[in-house]
Amino acid sequence: MKRLGVNEIREAYLSFFESKGHLRLPSFSLVPKNDPSILLINAGMTPMKAYFRGDEKPPRTRVTTCQKCIRTPDIERVGLTSRHGTFFEMLGNFSFGDYFKAEVIPWAWEFLTKVLEIPKDILYVTIYEKDDEAYDIWTKKVGIDPTHVFKMSKADNFWEHGTGPCGPDSEIFVDRGPQYGKETPQQGIQQDIGDRYVEIWNLVFTQFEHQADGTYAPLKQRNIDTGAGLERVATILQGVDNLFEVDTVRAVLDKVCEIAGKKYGENERDDISIRVITDHIRSTTMMIADGITPSNEGRGYVLRRLLRRASRCGRLLNIKRLFLTDLADVVIKCSGSAYPELIEHRDFIMATIEAEEKRFDQTVAQGLDLLQQTMNEVKKNKQQILPGDVVFKLHDTYGFPVDLTAEIAHENKLDIDRAGFDRAMQVQKERAREARRAKSDSSWIKSDLAKELKEMPASIYTCYEKTSDEGVLQAIIVDDHGSKKLVNELTCTADPVPAYLIFNQTPYFAENGGQIGDSGMIGNSKSMIQVNNCTKTIRKVYIHDAVLQSGTIKVGDKFTLTVDKERREKIRKNHTATHLLHAALREKFGKQLVQSGSFVGPDYLRFDFNHPCALTTQEIREIEERVNWAVMQDWPVQVEFMNMDEANKRGAIHLFDEKYEEKVRVVTMTDYSVELCGGTHLDHTSQVGFFRIVAETSAAAGIRRIDAVTGPAAYQLSFKEHDELAALSAALKAPSKELLNRVAHLQEQVKNGEKKLHDLEQKMLNGDNGSNLAKEVQELGGVKLLLLQVSVGSIEALRELADNYRNKLNPAVVMLFNVNEGKLQLICMISKELTNKGLNAVELIKTATTVCGGGGGGRPDMAQAGGKDIQAVPEAIKAVRQKLTEKL
């Protein structure tokens, strides 16, 4: 059989089925699309359920994929054995009402015996005992020895899940030889004894509909669903014992050992940790590439648990530094060619892993000490259960997921008090709610006036009905050398005097929920006061951050409080637009998107939300269009007070986990946007006028931020862009409607110029038809070696040059070091027949980058990398030549 790497097997499989008329699709995201029944994609066919059910039309009736999969039910077993893992790749070919058994069975046999060259005499198959059609195809059409076909019961070879489409299946096994066991085929396959006979492929023939009455009716559209574990196929072809030994996984495992200074296979406890880290970093790297970020629930919790479990195992190996990003880099290099999202999102992957590892690393040592001490005490007292308050402290203070604590306890033959943990968690939630309620009041609670403020009666709040009101001054607070004190009277003599003022009632909106407080003027016949902001205490005492501009004020005086109406109107526009933006984002990206923070002011709005990657230009444009569509609908903005149960029935979004009052304020814009909100809003959506996104940036790991403007500010932005477009038209001497054509023409000129430059480079480098080239070529064992520093203008030109040299010198090893504009690029190409003799372009590139820095990857016959140290090129050439001398 052929000895192929994981990437080669994947490519061979997909190419084979492409040759049979299948459409090759990239792996679907690990995040299920419109399937709330699962957290993560766990099988090759899972993303295509809608095609099998007929809910959606497939892009072609024949499809082939290699699907990324995550399974976590056996997570506690990962590491304890060499068979369990959370991440795997599933090869599959699928028919949606197209071909059936007569085609798929011979194709499976052809791929295994002809493409992979697995000997026919070590292959066995099982079929459903009543599936005579499959038996005849295997024995008569394919020609397999009938003694290699086993008829199995419905429990073994019939695929069904309740009612619905179902059918028999046929599993293909490989005999790994007597070194893996002495059992017979009957024992190994029919009785599932030992490890000698291994299933590598399952062909499911979906041909029946399981009716509610228990009967089976033939399907009008028969489907084929197959699945072959890529890593399992690789273990067979590479002659290794388990998935941790196959090349792409072993590369990660070896890196773990290198970092830890350990040798795999010498110590079983170390090996467990090494396997855990190896598996989990593969899973987490893939998950983050698909937009999943660490959190305390759902997929994010699975990700956090895997990352922290890996980090903890690093400590068990005595690794003293952050190391998971080094391993993620290996995963990306090994699998980036198959999953380009790994390369595309590399920076985000690294930032997410590093941030999570840092968070865990900051407290994990102390947490482990506490856990160990507690376990020792529990054992000393001859008990079996860790107290719930300790489990909660590990979670709350040290960042231990409760499942991780349970796992460590289980390793020490102990259980945890889960009920006690849940009670402590509930108490903490109540405490957090109180803390959030007191957030705006925090500076006053800690002030010298905390007692006096608590005793003051609540202010009457008229901000929703009025922008001007009458009020009586209840208190004057001033700063006195760093402390706050109450005074009965305040006079402005020359310079304005700052003060905090409390009235019995106010129309000023108090800063809350991201909306900035109102500003304005307060006055009477004796004084004039400027208000810059308004805040409130938890007892609804409203405090005006003010400056006495003129006159004298006294407690008990009456004043007219007037809000800056123009500023309030701008804030109302931005706040109503914020709700529409939130709704548009959820409509576009799904209901899992939630607000992570906001700022609503008069000049702009800011909205933070959970999202794994930057929005594209097209997505930003679409969000803008959705918001402006909602604006133009002229929906009434309705504000209602209702109890929480009614709000929940209306589908109101709860932005914070707060303890709400009996009546909550719900802001509704038809059923498009329904949110609990205490802010000020417009009467109709059309009053927003116009909405424009100014910027989309990162606010934190997994959190995106949108800055936007509304009304006149949005129009001014459009005018500015129009002026810039006019200036560009003048510079390019083309009317605006012709700008795209003009730019395209200039790009074509640049492209032609680059092509001419490339052709010139080729002529310069190959103009002597190889006479000078011969001087640089060395021959070893019948193989021509060309290790050369060159200077060409692009990586494409470098690839073409290396390919030309390889073809000209065949059989040859060509490695070029390209120095271009201060940057170093490396490429290595090897004649394909030489890769079977142990020569590997990836290995040679690694040898070079070990000397000149950088990194890269590729295939055995072609690899490339970026280098760091141009001065080290001669030394790198020398190292590669030495490596080849040893090989040849």
Side-chain angles (χ1 to χ4, degrees), residues 473-538:
L473 185 58
Q474 301 286 92
I476 304 170
I477 303 170
V478 296
D479 279 319
D480 183 21
H481 302 291
S483 63
K484 291 181 173 65
K485 69 175 185 179
L486 288 168
V487 297
N488 288 321
E489 182 177 318
L490 192 64
T491 300
C492 175
T493 54
D495 296 329
V497 183
Y500 300 97
L501 308 179
I502 299 173
F503 296 84
N504 68 325
Q505 67 183 31
T506 180
Y508 280 78
F509 177 83
E511 182 178 321
N512 187 40
Q515 180 175 328
I516 195 170
D518 278 333
S519 63
M521 300 299 293
I522 296 175
N524 58 19
S525 60
K526 301 176 184 178
S527 60
M528 186 60 64
I529 305 162
Q530 177 181 317
V531 179
N532 297 318
N533 194 15
C534 182
T535 59
K536 68 175 179 176
T537 71
I538 57 174

Side-chain angles (χ1 to χ4, degrees), residues 144-156:
I144 192 173
D145 185 340
T147 64
H148 283 222
V149 181
F150 296 97
K151 294 184 176 182
M152 307 285 279
S153 69
K154 185 178 180 182
D156 295 308

Side-chain angles (χ1 to χ4, degrees), residues 177-424:
Q179 66 270 32
Y180 289 95
K182 303 300 182 183
E183 56 269 20
T184 64
Q186 290 78 7
Q187 292 172 321
I189 297 173
Q190 289 186 305
Q191 300 174 36
D192 193 22
I193 297 173
D195 297 321
R196 175 171 174 173
Y197 296 89
V198 178
E199 178 209 336
I200 61 168
W201 204 347
N202 187 20
L203 315 177
V204 179
F205 316 125
T206 311
Q207 64 187 95
F208 299 114
E209 176 82 21
H210 189 184
Q211 311 274 358
D213 61 4
T215 60
Y216 294 87
L219 284 173
K220 293 181 180 178
Q221 176 181 301
R222 301 185 301 179
N223 302 318
I224 289 293
D225 162 24
T226 82
L230 176 57
E231 292 89 349
R232 186 173 290 188
V233 174
T235 62
I236 303 298
L237 297 184
Q238 295 177 22
V240 295
D241 292 339
N242 56 73
L243 70 92
F244 290 94
E245 299 286 344
V246 302
D247 58 333
T248 53
V249 187
R250 183 71 199 219
V252 181
L253 184 145
D254 287 342
K255 187 65 176 181
V256 177
C257 293
E258 176 190 322
I259 294 171
K262 303 286 185 179
K263 186 174 181 180
Y264 186 63
E266 285 190 343
N267 181 289
E268 180 55 28
R269 288 186 65 85
D270 287 347
D271 288 352
I272 291 173
S273 294
I274 291 168
R275 287 192 290 264
V276 168
I277 296 169
T278 300
D279 170 78
H280 288 6
I281 196 62
R282 296 179 75 229
S283 297
T284 53
T285 301
M286 296 290 179
M287 291 169 73
I288 297 169
D290 281 345
I292 302 169
T293 55
S295 69
N296 288 326
E297 59 184 10
R299 302 178 194 97
Y301 179 77
V302 173
L303 174 62
R304 172 162 286 167
R305 185 182 177 194
L306 291 171
L307 279 172
R308 295 192 168 188
R309 196 168 188 255
S311 179
R312 177 211 167 213
C313 285
R315 288 188 165 271
L316 295 179
L317 293 174
N318 206 32
I319 298 175
K320 301 294 188 182
R321 64 176 179 84
L322 302 180
F323 68 100
L324 293 179
T325 53
D326 293 349
L327 302 177
D329 204 36
V330 178
V331 176
I332 294 170
K333 288 176 182 176
C334 289
S335 302
S337 60
Y339 305 112
E341 61 271 18
L342 292 173
I343 298 172
E344 181 183 354
H345 300 145
R346 182 184 182 280
D347 291 345
F348 180 69
I349 293 168
M350 295 302 185
T352 302
I353 291 175
E354 183 177 6
E356 184 66 15
E357 190 177 10
K358 279 182 178 178
R359 278 193 290 266
F360 190 50
D361 189 66
Q362 287 168 357
T363 55
V364 67
Q366 295 170 295
L368 285 172
D369 288 342
L370 172 63
L371 179 54
Q372 190 60 56
Q373 290 172 13
T374 306
M375 289 191 299
N376 291 340
E377 290 175 9
V378 169
K379 290 179 179 179
K380 183 178 178 180
N381 295 329
K382 297 182 179 180
Q383 297 175 342
Q384 295 294 319
I385 299 176
L386 290 181
D389 60 337
V390 176
V391 177
F392 174 75
K393 185 175 183 179
L394 286 165
H395 162 83
D396 190 50
T397 305
Y398 301 106
F400 274 60
V402 62
D403 297 301
L404 178 57
T405 302
E407 183 179 331
I408 297 172
H410 182 72
E411 291 172 1
N412 288 269
K413 297 180 172 56
L414 298 173
D415 292 321
I416 67 169
D417 176 12
R418 187 60 185 254
F421 167 82
D422 291 338
R423 286 194 297 272

